[in-house]
Amino acid sequence: MSTDAIEEFVQARMRADRVPGLSVAVVRGEQITWLRGFGTADLDTAAPARPETSYLWFSLTKIVTATAVMQLVDRGRLDLDAPAREYFPTLAVVRQPTPITLRHLLSHSSGLANPFPLRWVRPADAPAPDSHDFVERLLARHTRLRFAPGTRSSYSNLGFLVLGEVIAQASGTAFEDHIRHSILGPIGMTHTGFTYPELGQASAAIGYQPLPSLFMPLLRAVLPRGVVGHRYGPYAAYRPFYVNGSAYGGLIGGVDDLAILASAHLNEGSVNGVRLLSPAATKAMQKVTGRGGPRDFGLGWYRTHSADTSEAFVEHLGGGSGFWNVLRLYPHRRLGIMLMGNTTHFNYEAILAKIAEVGRA
């Protein structure tokens, strides 16, 4: 793959969108064909963004959660079409005209509410909330479904928090430990985890949000104390923080590790000689069904209607305070593209389209 055109285009887009740092990876099947960092991961120290630079994944974590569910299905520990409350009895607090299944949860067709996760973060030195209590409180506040399970789809962070509890019950261990031991470790994602100490020698990007100084007091008021840092030029800088709710958005890591996961999903569930998923499970995750709304969903993966639909793809986005990430797969080309940036949003579609275009040449 010729990279000159891509690099020039990426740098121009970063200037236009005021992105401090961006890390990019491209994979073809099991082969990582391009790893590159652009700009700056930390404006205070001028540390460059590299492929191994770690970013908060936010909802990109859902692909790992979905992978863990399908792995347990492969092992006979979970049944996609069984009522989810059989694995997580607390879910019974939600009134269900027909039972919510794991398939419903994975495809965002459960009807569960999607409470806005505005304060679902904490400073890196603050204790983590108890995950079971966190989910239990949310379910108690949202006992009414938005629609009958399976009748349509609508994105729900709460649904993936429930899946995290299902994984913990089925595996007999904490969700985070299960992910470490069953996914991250076996395939060699050695500096991805749920805490900064797990990143090893990999440096962590600082999150930045373009924001007029007038709005700094408001940002500090709406987020927990200690999350918002100082101003740096046109940006509000964030201090290191964690996301509450590991199963929906808690991972931290770089595109180099993410490329390994992408390779597994492009290679029928296998990477580096390790079978992560069966070919059938991998294919089932990528089978997208139209249900209306801005996205069509598979099992974990989805396809956004506003994106370039000239060829088939599946993807997942993940972003929040100071970070924006995307992983897109073109399964028929065995092509995967992933971007991680340390600002709250940027024109990722333009960059993905340019890389996909060059990849076709």
Side-chain angles (χ1 to χ4, degrees):
M1 177 184 293
S2 172
T3 60
D4 291 346
I6 299 176
E7 293 189 1
E8 183 178 342
F9 185 85
V10 168
Q11 290 165 347
R13 278 264 45 102
M14 289 177 66
R15 290 191 295 271
D17 295 341
R18 295 193 295 179
V19 183
L22 185 70
S23 298
V24 184
V26 178
V27 299
R28 288 273 196 182
E30 278 199 275
Q31 184 181 5
I32 299 174
T33 60
W34 193 46
L35 286 171
R36 181 77 158 82
F38 298 88
T40 309
D42 185 335
L43 294 173
D44 271 336
T45 65
R50 303 182 186 278
E52 65 272 19
T53 297
S54 293
Y55 300 78
L56 272 72
W57 285 30
F58 283 90
S59 283
L60 199 57
T61 305
K62 289 184 175 70
I63 286 299
V64 173
T65 300
T67 300
V69 171
M70 296 304 289
Q71 192 180 62
L72 289 166
V73 170
D74 276 342
R75 296 172 180 173
R77 304 285 293 277
L78 293 175
D79 179 346
L80 279 180
D81 296 307
R85 63 193 178 203
E86 291 184 5
Y87 304 108
F88 182 50
T90 301
L91 186 59
V93 70
V94 177
R95 297 189 292 275
Q96 303 167 45
T98 57
I100 294 171
T101 66
L102 302 187
R103 190 183 301 276
H104 292 144
L105 293 168
L106 285 169
S107 62
H108 295 276
S109 61
S110 68
L112 283 173
N114 187 35
F116 190 65
L118 179 62
R119 295 181 63 85
W120 296 10
V121 294
R122 68 186 188 280
D125 58 357
D130 180 273
S131 64
H132 183 85
D133 290 348
F134 182 62
V135 179
E136 193 172 58
R137 288 195 302 271
L138 286 170
L139 290 172
R141 291 199 294 267
H142 300 280
T143 59
R144 295 183 62 183
L145 295 178
R146 292 178 287 174
F147 49 84
T151 58
R152 61 187 179 92
S153 290
S154 185
Y155 195 83
S156 174
N157 288 319
L158 180 54
F160 268 73
L161 289 173
V162 171
L163 285 172
E165 295 303 302
V166 168
I167 290 167
Q169 291 288 332
S171 67
T173 188
F175 168 79
E176 296 87 349
D177 287 338
H178 180 77
I179 296 301
R180 292 179 184 112
H181 297 148
S182 295
I183 296 181
L184 304 181
I187 65 173
M189 297 175 67
T190 57
H191 50 271
T192 296
F194 295 94
T195 65
Y196 289 108
E198 293 175 69
L199 308 181
Q201 297 301 311
S203 61
I206 298 298
Y208 297 96
Q209 182 167 332
L211 189 75
S213 58
L214 178 67
F215 293 101
M216 283 292 288
L218 177 61
L219 186 64
R220 293 186 191 280
V222 299
L223 291 175
R225 183 185 297 272
V227 170
V228 181
H230 60 281
R231 286 194 63 78
Y232 197 103
Y235 306 102
Y238 289 91
R239 296 190 178 103
F241 67 92
Y242 295 131
V243 173
N244 296 335
S246 296
Y248 101 94
L251 279 172
I252 312 168
V255 292
D256 58 341
D257 270 5
L258 182 58
I260 301 172
L261 181 69
S263 294
H265 282 275
L266 288 168
N267 196 48
E268 298 188 319
S270 180
V271 65
N272 296 336
V274 176
R275 170 64 61 190
L276 192 65
L277 290 174
S278 68
T282 308
K283 184 177 181 179
M285 288 181 69
Q286 297 172 12
K287 184 178 180 180
V288 172
T289 303
R291 294 181 181 271
R295 298 177 176 129
D296 294 332
F297 292 92
L299 300 180
W301 297 107
Y302 56 70
R303 182 168 57 235
T304 306
H305 292 170
S306 60
D308 175 15
T309 55
S310 59
E311 60 179 325
F313 67 87
V314 292
E315 67 180 356
H316 212 292
L317 310 180
S321 301
F323 297 92
W324 188 259
N325 316 296
V326 58
L327 166 59
R328 180 174 293 177
L329 304 183
Y330 297 89
H332 64 291
R333 282 204 274 160
R334 300 185 70 212
L335 172 67
I337 306 168
M338 53 230 74
L339 313 173
M340 290 184 164
N342 61 341
T343 192
T344 303
H345 193 70
F346 57 90
N347 189 347
Y348 65 92
E349 281 288 356
I351 298 174
L352 290 173
K354 172 60 71 173
I355 295 174
E357 173 191 342
V358 173
R360 279 191 293 265

